[in-house]
Amino acid sequence: VWSMLGSLSGHLSDRFGPRVVVAIGAIVMGAGLVMTAFIDRLWMGYLTYSLAVGIGVAAAYVPTVAVVGGWFLTRRNAALGIAVAGIGCGTLLVAPLAASLIVSLGWRHTYIVFGVASAAILLACAAVLERPPVHVTPSKIRVRDAIRTPAFGLLYGSQLMCSMALFVPFVYLPAFAHDHGASEVASAALVGIIGGASVVGRLGLGALADRAGVIRLYQGAFLLLAASYALWLGGSSYLTMVIFALAMGAGYGGFVALSPAVLTDLFGAQRLGTVMGILYTSGAAGALLGPPLAGMIIDHTHSYRWAIAYAFAGAIGSFAMLLPLERYAARTSESTAQA
């Protein structure tokens, strides 16, 4: 839901400013989480949780990242890396916090706590958000022209293929580890390691992009992601899985941090929210179809290996699609400079 609605929230933020969009997302997300506390049928959760959280993330993530990209001229990539590191911190910290609250309060009261907290935090964010000054972010290219360029097509196709693989370890890595002798706690910790490593990837590659070529770093993040799946495919020891989680998290965090920077470098920052939202629709199919498809492969073959191989194929394909990006990016820069 948030992947599909990111383009709409980005457009609305570009047109009306980020404050009202993020505030609406805060109210919808908070209300949805609180309503989830009172459900007595699972299907209700698909409405109260999935739709509300999807709308809330769409309304909050794209506009705030676009605002950061618009306010910074120098060290923009480092600023974007810091901003999106919040996702990795959430992956690392919120899941164990939820588990602790469920033990002490129960799952219903935990949803109420999260609903109130998320609404309050996002409303506070909305209160301090300001639209970037137009004069520091001149538009390089119109949105319709940007999404028709070969460079944008490569970015979109690459993220579409990557998303088919990206969510597989979040669902199946703990079960794979448990089946190979790891305890439940150690198995679940692997997802936390991915989140922690993604923070490092977001901060490190975001800052490094100010000194090195952002497109080459972006390609490198996808190469690291593909290499991590090759490692997972080739080994089953817990140490191998830890190394996989570290490498996968760093690559995942790196490309998330660098995506806004690449778009800004190619198309400018003034309409970044709209362009970024359109790009993020590429993740919708992967998020929706990737894990179920991997599960079907596991059920059919009675092995995780073919599912991991499927994820590796998606990851290596996403990297291969980026190989001509620098050539097309140079053409895009020339055309936008002339415009």
Side-chain angles (χ1 to χ4, degrees):
V1 171
W2 89 258
S3 295
M4 292 304 299
L5 293 181
S7 58
L8 176 61
S9 67
H11 172 71
L12 293 175
S13 177
D14 288 337
R15 184 171 182 180
F16 300 109
R19 184 171 296 172
V20 63
V21 178
V22 175
I24 292 172
I27 295 171
V28 172
M29 178 180 283
L33 289 172
V34 171
M35 290 170 63
T36 304
F38 297 96
I39 66 171
D40 59 3
R41 298 288 189 279
L42 180 60
W43 66 265
M44 297 179 180
Y46 289 107
L47 299 177
T48 60
Y49 182 90
S50 301
L51 289 181
V53 172
I55 293 170
V57 174
Y61 180 74
V62 173
T64 50
V65 173
V67 164
V68 174
W71 269 103
F72 284 81
L73 286 178
T74 60
R75 305 304 300 275
R76 174 185 285 148
N77 299 321
L80 287 168
I82 294 171
V84 299
I87 299 175
C89 291
T91 305
L92 182 63
L93 299 177
V94 174
L97 174 62
S100 177
L101 288 175
I102 289 170
V103 171
S104 58
L105 301 177
W107 69 267
R108 294 186 184 273
H109 287 94
T110 298
Y111 270 118
I112 294 175
V113 170
F114 277 4
V116 173
S118 64
I121 292 171
L122 286 177
L123 285 172
C125 292
V128 299
L129 281 174
E130 295 184 22
R131 191 196 297 263
V134 175
H135 67 276
V136 303
T137 56
S139 178
K140 288 184 179 181
I141 190 171
R142 292 182 301 175
V143 172
R144 68 176 63 183
D145 295 328
I147 64 176
R148 292 174 180 175
T149 61
F152 186 87
L154 291 172
L155 292 172
Y156 196 95
S158 175
Q159 290 209 11
L160 177 63
M161 294 190 68
C162 178
S163 66
M164 297 294 291
L166 182 63
F167 300 98
V168 172
F170 286 100
V171 179
Y172 296 108
L173 181 59
F176 177 83
H178 190 261
D179 285 355
H180 286 80
S183 69
E184 291 185 0
V185 174
S187 300
L190 292 169
V191 175
I193 292 173
I194 293 175
S198 76
V199 175
V200 177
R202 294 166 207 259
L203 294 174
L205 291 182
L208 188 60
D210 288 318
R211 300 180 176 86
V214 65
I215 291 178
R216 288 192 176 183
L217 281 177
Y218 186 73
Q219 293 169 327
F222 278 83
L223 179 59
L224 178 59
L225 197 68
S228 71
Y229 282 95
L231 180 65
W232 187 18
L233 182 62
S236 58
S237 69
Y238 189 76
L239 177 60
T240 300
M241 286 180 267
V242 169
I243 298 173
F244 160 74
L246 290 170
M248 184 266 176
Y252 156 57
F255 91 74
V256 169
L258 293 172
S259 291
V262 170
L263 291 175
T264 304
D265 191 57
L266 291 175
F267 309 117
Q270 187 175 5
R271 306 293 291 177
L272 178 59
T274 304
V275 178
M276 185 167 60
I278 294 172
L279 176 63
Y280 285 166
T281 62
S282 62
L288 188 63
L289 301 177
L293 180 57
M296 291 175 60
I297 294 173
I298 294 170
D299 289 341
H300 182 72
T301 63
H302 304 289
S303 171
Y304 287 96
R305 292 298 176 189
W306 286 107
I308 300 171
Y310 143 77
F312 170 68
I316 198 68
S318 67
F319 166 70
M321 287 201 69
L322 293 176
L323 291 177
L325 183 61
E326 282 189 299
R327 181 172 70 253
Y328 286 116
R331 296 178 186 176
T332 301
S333 299
E334 291 176 3
S335 62
T336 55
Q338 293 172 0

